Structure formats: structure tokens, C-alpha cells
Amino acid sequence: MGPLFAKQRYLLDFALSCLWRRRGKNLALLTVYTLVVFAVASVMFFTQALKREAALVLGATPELLVQKLTLGRHDLIPADYTHRIREIRGVGQVTGRLWGYYYDPQVRANYTVLAPQGVEVPERTVLVGAGIARVRHLTRGATLTFQGYDGKPYSFQVRGVLSPESELLSADLILMSAADLRRLFGLPEGLYTDLTVAVANPREVSTVAAKIQELYPDTRPIVREEIRRTYEAAFDWRAGILLAVLSGALLAFLIFAWDKAAGLSAEERREIGLLKALGWDTAEVLQLKFWEGAVVSLTAFFLGTVGACLHVFVAPAPLFAPVIKGWSILYPRFRLTPFISLFDLGILFFFTVVPYTVATIVPVWRAASMDPDQVMRS
Amino acid sequence: MIELQEVRKVFHAGRPNEQVAVAGVSLTLEAGKLTVFRGPSGSGKTTLLSLIGCMARPTSGRIFLKGREITSLPVRFLTDLRRRTFGFIFQQFHLLAGVSVLENVMLPAYPLGEKYRHLRARALGWLERLGLLSKAGAKAEWLSGGEAQRVAIARALINDPDILIADEPTAHLDTRLSREFMALMADFRAAGTTILIASHDPLVHEAPAVDRVVDLRDGRLLTPEAPG
Amino acid sequence: MRKSTLFFTFLAAAVLALGLVLAEARVRMRGELPHLRQEVRVVQTLGLTDLCLATEARHTRHPSQADWHSAFQSHPGALDHFPSGSVLLPPERVLKGYGAPLR
Ligand SMILES: Nc1ncnc2c1ncn2[C@@H]1O[C@H](COP(=O)(O)OP(=O)(O)OP(=O)(O)O)[C@@H](O)[C@H]1O
Ligand SMILES: [Mg+2]
């Protein structure tokens, strides 16, 4: 153990003694600080996990979505659009999708009604998402009645409930046959909600999109990337709202820290003078303060981050989830896959530990560079 | 071993509130002796001690320590010199409240980064010698005046200084404690420590261990030393 | 015991705790892979393009909609009031006026 290490350890010892001396104030500060780190880290982990999962899952969606616009609003797309789009170079499968919203006044929730291509659903039956099954208390064999476009009731037998495993995607889905969907919504043959277009080579996506636009000026091709980015923006927005709400706490903390750090009391000033009179260097006084700041901020960082990890990934974020995910009647219940990037942690570490530590050192600077003889007269 | 040449200290020089605290003092102090500075309030005793103790620089004049000129040394060297050569006992004791007696004593040694075991043993040794071993874990603010001063003495001695500087050490002590203090100083002097005390307490001047009393008035020596 | 020893112990424990939490997260992420694969399968078989988050709000349930003009709509029966609308439920009055319950 070299003398340099021994010295820093002495300074740490003494810094801890100094913190302990004003434990009331310092513990209060530490609590607020930990809460701030906890809140910021929770929001960060949650948003990141949601974004990563969204990106991963949406990576499997078709590269392009083509929707028809009339008067700047979404309109049904004729089936024969598929033929010419399929002939564009680089385009794989083109599929017409049939889906729509259904608002269920009984539970005041929106469903997404979909006639899937990949799943066979017999007529007069439906498969329902786990969220719907929950709010409507549906089980296999139950009857579900919708009000059709013509105001008449249409009844379906529930053939099954979609796996809760995929609730993040399917909580509000109602799957039915294409014929049933057309009947329920009064949709004529030959029209689809939109088209999905598979493009094998990701670099060709934008070219294909441009060609479709050229071919059919009344369509709007939507690139998968856009959807992903929209989600990211939405999540970031929500994280932003949360952080804005939390900024009150942040501000309180800043005031607290400022008061503690900048408002160097006469007593503290005197003590710094004493240390200097006892043979301490300016640098050593600053190192002492560095340790004081580092102890508080490191403690807050670790307690806050570990707390946030537990909060977000073990106790599914009871405090913030409603805001980040949004409120909903059909709340999807899903386990968040814990993606934690070390880079994010590093950023959090930097922004929690460094500013506070610096803030504790800076105001001491002047006091620490004063002449030690002041102590002789007080 | 300590030599002052025409040392002046002026506060707020050139401003209306200019204050000449030390007005040209030339003085030679021998090693291993106990010297007392005496003088009325405001005569510059404290200022002179702080100049000798490397706590402040003189406005003009030069100070030599063991033949080395210290007035022009950079701050780092001054600090180092101060902590290895001097031990200070302040008038108000200046112990840190809320910190244990042991830590208070060890404080001046922290920057030297010595082995913890050794430092602690030495600090406890001093506390034992001063009859304070049982108080080692106590908080500084719980001590009585006499105990507080002995802690301050232990603190001054922790780095084994050659020179002990005490400013009005008996101001807060009763007669018995003041005598005890001077007896302790006599012990240290006998062990070879140079001791400088500023005081206007007759108990101090008249103590048997005092080798020399230097009288100050208005920042000057009352009887200037014969040169040479 | 020296205070620094206590602090180092605390720090070591904290680093360990964080490490454990992160390791646990990693293990759990691995464990979630089949689940993620299942989600991917659902996306592929049903041809989905959106997540099912807040189903009432089009900007979360169906951002894939071409008419971005109402992307910030928060409820079919509510006036758009994003972003507050994504946090607050529309007033009861508004909900009541939208569609009569099926009998
Ligand atoms: N930092 C300062 N700024 C201005 N004037 C000062 C300063 N320090 C000391 N003085 C002045 O210098 C003079 C000498 O002060 P000093 O403290 O050395 O006297 P002293 O002999 O120790 O007095 P006492 O017996 O009261 O302690 C005083 O007039 C004091 O007001
Ligand atoms: Mg004085």
C-alpha cells in the first residue's frame, strides 16, 4: 500500500467523518439524490427496454406498407393495385390486409379487427386477444356480439384466446375470416385496408417506395423504419413528459445541492482554514471535498440504479409504466425483456456522479486557497 | 535556528485601512529554547508567530529557518515545511466538533500518507501521555477546556515537530491548568523541542522553563537585538 | 473499523448488487428469447405492423396509419390533446357521448 493510496484513504476516512458529522442534512440529501437517480434510471431502463423490444419485434414486419389516400385521409385500397406493385423489381410478396377498428361501447375500448392471411378462422367464429378476453370475461365457446355497419347485431363464437405470451402485439386483436369482416363492416369485395409489400433487399426499400408512389400517386408507402421511429418518438415523448414532471424533484435536488455546496457556511470556511493551518495543502482540501462528493454521489448512483433495475424489471415498473406505456382500457400485460446497455449505465453514471462531485468541489476552491493564518484570529 | 531580518507585515497596504502589524523585526531564536512573546493586545504577537510558522508571508524582510530562507519558497514547499517542522496550538484550540478525539489528533498527519497502524499507535501514545486515552473515542465537543487543550497539544505533536508554536495557550485555562501546561512545555523543551509562545499571561512569563521573553509593542521589539 | 473500510465494503456490495441485477437481467433476457421469437412469429403470421400499447390512441396502437393528420388523436371520442391525452383519460362526458352500449 503506497503512501499515495494511504493518503487518499485517510482523506476518505475523514470525508466520511465529516459527512457523518452533519448526518441529518446529508442523509436527507442522499435520499433525495437517490430518488432522483432512481426515477431517471427507471424511466431510462423502461423506455430503452420498450424501444428495443419494439425494434426487435417490428423487425419482422413487412418492409413496406402501402395505403391509399383520399382527401389526405386513409382510404380503402383496390385489390388490383397489387398486380402492378408485384411487378416492380425487388418486390417479393404483396398481400392485401383486411383490418379495422371496432369500438366496443360496453367496455369503452378499441379493438383491432383483423382477417389474417396466415391463420384459418372458420366463419362465424373469432379468435380474441388476451386483453379482450380479460375485460369481456371471454373464454372458449362464449358468444361475442358486434354491432355491424348496418346497426344489426352480428354474433360470433369465440374459438380461442390468443396466447398471452404475445400480448404486447395481440391484446386487442379480434381475428375473423375475411368474409365475416366484410360482412360486419359492409366492405365490398375487391377492397383492402392496406397492402403489405415484402422487399428482400433492405437497400431497395426506398427505391421501391418511390416507384410505388410514382405508379400510384394516390398511395402512401410507409417504410418500416418510419413506424419504428414513430414508436421511438412516442416513447421518448412519454419519457420526456415523465422527466418534465420529475424535473420538480430534480430542481429540489439542485437547490438542495446548491445550498449545501455553494452556501459554504462560516463554520465550514473556518474548518477549511483550520485544515490549512494544520498543514494541509489546497489540493488536499479539494481532494477531501472530492471524496465527500464522490461518496454521496456514488452511493446515490448505486442505490438508485439497483433500485431502478428492481423496479423496472422485477416489479414491472408500477410507478412509471402507466405514463410511459400510456393509459388504456385494454392494458396489455406483458413482461418487459430486460435490455440494459452498459453504455446507458455509463451515461447515467457520468451524469449523476460527475456534476455533483464537481459542484461540491468548486465552491470550496476559494476557501481552500485562502491563507491559513486566518485561523489564528477567530 | 530561526532568524528574522527586518520583517514587516502590513495588512491592506496602500488602502485607508492600512494596518502595520509587524513593523521591522530582526530577531534570532535559538533552537531548543522556550521563548515567550509578550506585549499588549494588537502589538503583533499573533502576526509574528504566523509569519514564523509559514502561515503567511511577510510584506518585506526575510526569515531563515535552519539557515534556509523560507520567505521566497513556493506555497507547496511552505506547506510541506509547515507540516513537518511546526506544531500549532491555537488560542481557541480549534478542535473539529463532531469528530472523535483520535481523528482530531491524527488530522495533521493525513496528507503524509503514513501507515495507519503506525499513525494510530503514535496518536494513542500521545493521548496516553497526556492522560486522555480514555477519551480517544469521544467527540471533541464533549471535552472540558483542559482536555480540549491537551488534545490540541497532542495534535500539534503528531508529526513530531521541531518547533511548537502556541498562541495565548492559557487564555482559557485556570491557574492550575495553566501551570500544568507550562510544566508540559518544560518537558518538551527538555526533550529538545523549540517552543514559541505568545502570551500576556504572567503565569507564562514567570514559568521556570522560559528561556527568554521578547517584548513587543506596536509591531516592534521593545529592546532591539544587538546586531551580530 | 475504519470508516473507509466500511465504505469500501458498501461499495463492493453495491457493485456486486448491480452486477447481480445486470447478470440476472441478462439471464432473463436469454430466457425471454423464445418469447420474443414467438412474438416475431405472431407478427409474421398475422402480418402485423404495430404494437398493441394504448389501444384507444392511434399514435400508439396504429402509427402505421397513412393519415398522420390525426396521429396525435388520443381517443376515438376525445378531442386531440396530445401529449396530455396520452396520460389522462378523456372526461366521462366525452366517453358517454360516444356510442350507446350494446344491449
Ligand atoms: N488580517 C488582518 N487584516 C487587518 N488587520 C489585521 C489582520 N490581522 C491582524 N491585523 C492587525 O494587526 C495588528 C496586530 O494583530 P495581532 O493579532 O498580531 O496582535 P496580538 O499581539 O496577537 O494581539 P492580541 O494580544 O489581542 O492577540 C492588530 O492591530 C490587528 O488589528
Ligand atoms: Mg493574538
Side-chain angles (χ1 to χ4, degrees):
Chain A
M1 199 168 74
L4 268 183
F5 178 78
K7 170 175 162 183
Q8 293 307 324
R9 189 145 172 223
Y10 280 126
L11 295 183
L12 174 59
D13 268 337
F14 189 55
L16 288 164
S17 289
C18 290
L19 289 172
W20 188 245
R21 215 144 56 102
R22 304 195 174 91
R23 54 184 162 276
K25 202 171 176 185
N26 283 319
L27 283 178
L29 178 79
L30 186 65
T31 310
V32 180
Y33 197 174
T34 304
L35 283 178
V36 169
V37 175
F38 169 80
V40 172
S42 291
V43 173
M44 198 170 97
F45 290 157
F46 198 93
T47 317
Q48 284 299 341
L50 216 49
K51 276 158 78 169
R52 288 281 294 276
E53 181 147 356
L56 212 77
V57 170
L58 293 177
T61 60
E63 284 74 17
L64 265 177
L65 198 60
V66 181
Q67 293 179 345
K68 183 164 179 280
L69 289 179
T70 307
L71 296 170
R73 307 279 278 171
H74 173 251
D75 194 12
L76 300 173
I77 193 162
D80 51 3
Y81 277 34
T82 48
H83 310 309
R84 283 176 66 191
I85 291 176
R86 197 169 285 141
E87 278 157 20
I88 298 173
R89 260 192 45 186
V91 167
Q93 200 165 0
V94 181
T95 318
R97 289 203 307 173
L98 263 182
W99 66 272
Y101 299 113
Y102 181 83
Y103 179 75
D104 184 353
Q106 201 166 324
V107 293
R108 292 167 179 173
N110 239 4
Y111 304 155
T112 298
V113 184
L114 173 71
Q117 295 281 328
V119 185
E120 193 67 39
V121 189
E123 293 205 9
R124 302 273 170 215
T125 66
V126 287
L127 293 167
V128 297
I132 298 175
R134 198 158 48 233
V135 298
R136 291 289 303 257
H137 310 291
L138 296 176
T139 46
R140 205 185 142 93
T143 309
L144 189 59
T145 306
F146 297 113
Q147 190 176 33
Y149 74 104
D150 49 3
K152 293 197 187 107
Y154 289 77
S155 290
F156 295 87
Q157 204 200 4
V158 176
R159 254 180 80 80
V161 177
L162 295 172
S163 161
E165 279 285 298
S166 59
E167 241 185 274
L168 179 59
L169 293 155
S170 63
D172 72 337
L173 284 188
I174 296 203
L175 305 184
M176 58 174 68
S177 68
D180 278 339
L181 193 143
R182 290 186 190 279
R183 222 175 355 260
L184 181 63
F185 290 103
L187 200 68
E189 287 290 335
L191 289 175
Y192 286 108
T193 310
D194 50 25
L195 306 178
T196 58
V197 178
V199 181
N201 185 349
R203 271 177 303 181
E204 285 176 9
V205 172
S206 54
T207 341
V208 171
K211 279 190 187 148
I212 293 173
Q213 184 98 71
E214 210 173 288
L215 210 57
Y216 296 111
D218 61 345
T219 61
R220 168 161 183 166
I222 297 158
V223 182
R224 183 167 67 193
E225 259 317 278
E226 285 180 48
I227 300 174
R228 201 180 55 75
R229 270 209 298 275
T230 309
Y231 272 113
E232 289 204 344
F235 294 144
D236 284 344
W237 241 110
R238 286 156 179 276
I241 296 168
L242 209 52
L243 288 180
V245 172
L246 288 173
S247 65
L250 210 68
L251 211 65
F253 167 69
L254 283 182
I255 293 168
F256 213 153
W258 180 258
D259 170 61
K260 205 195 145 278
L264 216 55
S265 66
E267 197 194 344
E268 281 170 294
R269 217 174 280 276
R270 197 180 63 77
E271 284 170 8
I272 290 168
L274 174 64
L275 290 178
K276 292 212 68 178
L278 291 177
W280 286 42
D281 221 345
T282 305
E284 283 143 9
V285 174
L286 294 179
Q287 282 161 15
L288 173 73
K289 291 293 160 182
F290 161 81
W291 281 115
E292 280 188 24
V295 164
V296 170
S297 50
L298 278 175
T299 307
F301 170 78
F302 279 109
L303 293 181
T305 2
V306 171
C309 282
L310 295 178
H311 171 226
V312 174
F313 297 116
V314 179
L319 299 180
F320 300 125
V323 181
I324 295 178
K325 292 195 294 192
W327 60 268
S328 180
I329 292 159
L330 276 182
Y331 224 79
R333 281 187 195 157
F334 60 91
R335 296 191 308 273
L336 215 50
T337 307
F339 296 106
I340 303 174
S341 86
L342 291 181
F343 179 74
D344 290 345
L345 265 187
I347 294 214
L348 191 66
F349 180 82
F350 185 83
F351 279 103
T352 47
V353 174
V354 175
Y356 182 76
T357 307
V358 171
T360 39
I361 295 178
V362 168
V364 175
W365 200 282
R366 268 185 55 189
S369 45
M370 72 187 178
D371 267 348
D373 70 320
Q374 302 288 330
V375 175
M376 303 277 282
R377 47 190 91 252
S378 57
Chain B
M1 90 166 307
I2 305 170
E3 196 186 342
L4 286 76
Q5 292 180 355
E6 279 304 312
V7 169
R8 281 171 62 81
K9 180 70 177 176
V10 183
F11 291 104
H12 311 301
R15 281 193 266 157
N17 57 349
E18 185 177 274
Q19 178 75 44
V20 182
V22 176
V25 168
S26 298
L27 186 64
T28 309
L29 298 167
E30 267 178 83
K33 300 284 184 200
L34 199 166
T35 308
V36 175
F37 293 86
R38 176 168 65 183
S41 186
S43 56
K45 303 183 294 290
T46 300
T47 310
L48 197 61
L49 285 188
S50 70
L51 292 177
I52 295 172
C54 305
M55 293 224 204
R57 289 175 197 277
T59 313
S60 66
R62 299 201 288 177
I63 301 175
F64 294 87
L65 193 70
K66 295 180 198 161
R68 187 150 84 136
E69 218 244 325
I70 57 168
T71 14
S72 55
L73 284 179
V75 180
R76 295 180 56 84
F77 288 92
L78 273 186
T79 307
D80 199 56
L81 195 67
R82 190 163 76 236
R83 63 182 165 214
R84 290 181 194 277
T85 314
F86 293 98
F88 295 93
I89 300 165
F90 307 105
Q91 181 173 357
Q92 316 278 350
F93 312 145
H94 284 319
L95 299 181
L96 283 183
V99 173
S100 75
V101 164
L102 184 64
E103 274 198 274
N104 262 291
V105 172
M106 295 185 349
L107 213 49
Y110 283 169
L112 299 174
E114 178 185 357
K115 241 193 164 84
Y116 181 73
R117 211 150 27 86
H118 296 171
L119 175 56
R120 190 180 134 92
R122 194 146 36 96
L124 287 174
W126 277 118
L127 286 176
E128 186 172 17
R129 235 193 102 181
L130 296 168
L132 284 168
L133 199 53
S134 61
K135 301 279 178 189
K139 297 268 181 271
E141 69 269 27
W142 299 342
L143 301 176
S144 72
E147 287 167 342
Q149 184 174 50
R150 277 178 285 153
V151 172
I153 295 170
R155 183 176 65 185
L157 292 169
I158 194 68
N159 284 342
D160 295 324
D162 301 333
I163 304 165
L164 207 54
I165 292 182
D167 189 15
E168 309 282 0
T170 58
H172 295 291
L173 302 182
D174 63 20
T175 312
R176 188 177 60 84
L177 288 174
S178 302
R179 288 227 167 84
E180 270 177 27
F181 174 80
M182 286 314 289
L184 259 177
M185 290 301 121
D187 287 352
F188 297 142
R189 178 186 159 277
T193 310
T194 309
I195 300 171
L196 308 178
I197 302 176
S199 178
H200 42 224
D201 183 354
L203 256 172
V204 173
H205 317 145
E206 289 155 17
V210 174
D211 293 297
R212 179 178 175 192
V213 175
V214 175
D215 276 299
L216 281 172
R217 184 139 309 165
D218 298 329
R220 281 173 221 282
L221 298 186
L222 205 59
T223 46
E225 270 187 348
Chain C
M1 191 166 13
R2 287 179 73 175
K3 291 198 176 75
S4 54
T5 315
L6 282 177
F7 183 69
F8 284 137
T9 313
F10 163 77
L11 207 61
V15 171
L16 191 71
L18 188 61
L20 280 180
V21 170
L22 291 182
E24 198 268 352
R26 261 205 110 65
V27 168
R28 211 134 53 89
M29 191 187 81
R30 292 261 165 74
E32 295 282 311
L33 284 182
H35 162 234
L36 287 174
R37 266 185 230 119
Q38 152 118 3
E39 287 189 336
V40 167
R41 258 199 310 280
V42 167
V43 164
Q44 282 165 341
T45 44
L46 300 183
L48 301 179
T49 45
D50 304 86
L51 298 181
C52 172
L53 281 173
T55 61
E56 289 80 6
R58 244 195 301 189
H59 66 272
T60 47
R61 180 58 182 110
H62 292 292
S64 63
Q65 286 300 300
D67 40 348
W68 299 102
H69 315 286
S70 50
F72 293 150
Q73 184 184 12
S74 290
H75 190 275
L79 296 177
D80 295 351
H81 55 133
F82 185 86
S84 55
S86 63
V87 182
L88 306 169
L89 203 78
E92 186 65 15
R93 223 162 5 92
V94 175
L95 287 172
K96 245 192 195 127
Y98 189 86
L102 269 185
R103 252 141 311 182

